[in-house]
Each structure stands twice: as structure tokens, then as C-alpha cells.
Amino acid sequence: MFYYVARFVDSPALRDALPQGKTYFAYSLAGFVFFDYLNAALDTFDRSLQEARDSGTLEPLLVTQVSLPVILIGSAFYPFAATTLRIAVYLAWAAALFDFPLHAANWLAVVAVLLATLLAFSGLGVLSAAYLLLFKRGNPAKWFILGVSSVAGGMLFPVSILPPWLQVVAHLNPVTYAMDAMRGALLNGSDILSLGRPLLLLLAFAAVLLPSSVLIFSWSLRRTKVTGTLTHR
């Protein structure tokens, strides 16, 4: 789909807005790869919580001696692994059938960007799970973040073509820096040192958000136990 859409919208103006020598197909597919991981980071924890609650395994799981961080990490392992496998298939098809430039990637930097991204945005996913525990409804802010980031984050088109006020939003959005770092590593072969600024921003975001989100989730869990609403739907 991305390949044929890219052929349809290709124009000199679009090529001028893209990184030097890159096609719109490669640009948009790299954005899609990143966004799939972002969606997993935001959606994994509350989806796992919802499934455990629906299957009746949530309460037995939470009364075990396993620590809360281990439970959260364990709930995310399979969705992240499945996303990685799906993305690997997409990239293999793109390289085999549509000349996606996999040879240009710096895979060590790609892995570093993905790990920093998952750490940075998993905190938002844990907050979403805390919201689900307390209010028994999905967190609408999660979809707002995804919606804004898909437009003002450079997923499918360069930030430089946006109106000035949206460019300001994009430059305040950590997704923009993560997306640029992913494209740099995947399409340009940029190494970790050259991606130092966005990686440090993501890690700083993670250092603040992850501990605070786990604390909020822990408080939400205690609250639902006190009120007896842990397994309520």
C-alpha cells in the first residue's frame, strides 16, 4: 500500500522536502515502523490488563509475590516481540519486492532508538493502565496522543511542510525527535553518537515518566483493592 501510494503522490516538491536521496516510500515505511512500536508502547499495558480482567486471572496474578515492575514488564513482552516480528516481515517484503534500502541501516543504532522509544513511551502506557484500573474505561488521552503524533510527529510527511503553528507543536513533541532518529538510523546509517541528542531526550523523558507512572499505577492498584473494585468492569 505504501509503495503504490508513494508512486501516486511523488512530485518534485515532495522530493525537495524529503531527506537527500530518499524516496517517499522509504520515508513513509520508516515512519510506519516507528509508529507501530509507539502504538504498542501506549496500548500494551491496558490491553493486557483488560484481557486478564476479562479472563479472571487479574486478581490471582496481583496477589502473587511477583513485584509490580516484573508484572508490567512481563505483560509487555509478548506484544513487543510480536510487533518486532511483524515489522521484520514488513521490512523484508519491502526490501525484496520494492527496493527498500535495508543495506543503509545501522542496526545497532536502530535497536538503540527502539529501546529508548519503548522506555520513553511505555510510561504513558502504564499511566493508561492506571486510568483503566480506576475508571474501568480506556484512556482517551492515549488516542489523542497517537492522533496528534501521526500529524505533528512526521509519521507520513515531513514536519517542514506543516503550517508554522503545527511545526511549533511538532518541535515540542518528543515523538518528532524519536521519528527523526529512527529515520536517521534506518535510512541514513547514522551511528549512536550522531543520534546522541534525540536519544538523550528520550532517555530523560523515560527517567522522569517511567518511575512516576509505576508509582501512580501502584497507588491505583491499592485504591481499587481498598474499594473492592479491582475486578469490576
Side-chain angles (χ1 to χ4, degrees):
M1 180 182 69
F2 281 117
Y3 177 73
Y4 286 106
V5 167
R7 291 184 61 184
F8 178 73
V9 302
D10 187 35
S11 68
L14 179 60
R15 287 194 293 272
D16 289 343
L18 295 177
Q20 184 67 30
K22 302 306 174 187
T23 65
Y24 179 67
F25 170 62
Y27 184 90
S28 60
L29 187 60
F32 176 77
V33 165
F34 172 87
F35 214 71
D36 213 7
Y37 276 101
L38 177 61
N39 184 64
L42 292 176
D43 194 45
T44 289
F45 299 99
D46 52 354
R47 179 174 295 183
S48 297
L49 189 66
Q50 182 77 53
E51 290 173 354
R53 191 175 65 184
D54 291 345
S55 64
T57 60
L58 177 60
E59 193 167 17
L61 175 66
L62 293 176
V63 298
T64 64
Q65 297 300 311
V66 181
S67 66
L68 186 58
V70 172
I71 291 175
L72 291 172
I73 293 170
S75 69
F77 183 80
Y78 175 79
F80 287 152
T83 299
T84 299
L85 179 60
R86 182 170 65 250
I87 292 302
V89 172
Y90 290 158
L91 292 177
W93 282 349
L97 302 178
F98 304 116
D99 296 323
F100 185 84
L102 275 185
H103 61 277
N106 183 321
W107 291 107
L108 183 61
V110 168
V111 171
V113 172
L114 286 179
L115 289 177
T117 298
L118 293 179
L119 287 173
F121 294 103
S122 288
L124 295 176
V126 175
L127 287 177
S128 184
Y131 183 96
L132 179 64
L133 268 182
L134 288 174
F135 300 104
K136 317 305 177 188
R137 295 289 185 273
N139 184 1
K142 174 178 63 179
W143 305 114
F144 176 77
I145 291 169
L146 288 171
V148 170
S149 297
S150 65
V151 176
M155 176 188 175
L156 294 178
F157 36 79
V159 169
S160 60
I161 70 171
L162 296 174
W165 68 272
L166 260 184
Q167 290 189 36
V168 172
V169 174
H171 290 307
L172 295 174
N173 186 357
V175 171
T176 303
Y177 300 100
M179 195 86 74
D180 288 344
M182 171 58 72
R183 288 196 172 101
L186 190 59
L187 301 181
N188 298 329
S190 301
D191 59 23
I192 292 176
L193 289 178
S194 64
L195 300 174
R197 182 170 178 266
L199 286 175
L200 287 175
L201 285 171
L202 290 171
L203 292 176
F205 194 68
V208 173
L209 193 58
L210 264 180
S212 58
S213 65
V214 171
L215 288 174
I216 292 171
F217 184 88
S218 180
W219 174 84
S220 303
L221 182 58
R222 290 195 302 271
R223 177 68 179 169
T224 55
K225 288 179 178 179
V226 169
T227 58
T229 59
L230 176 60
T231 57
H232 288 188
R233 301 181 184 181

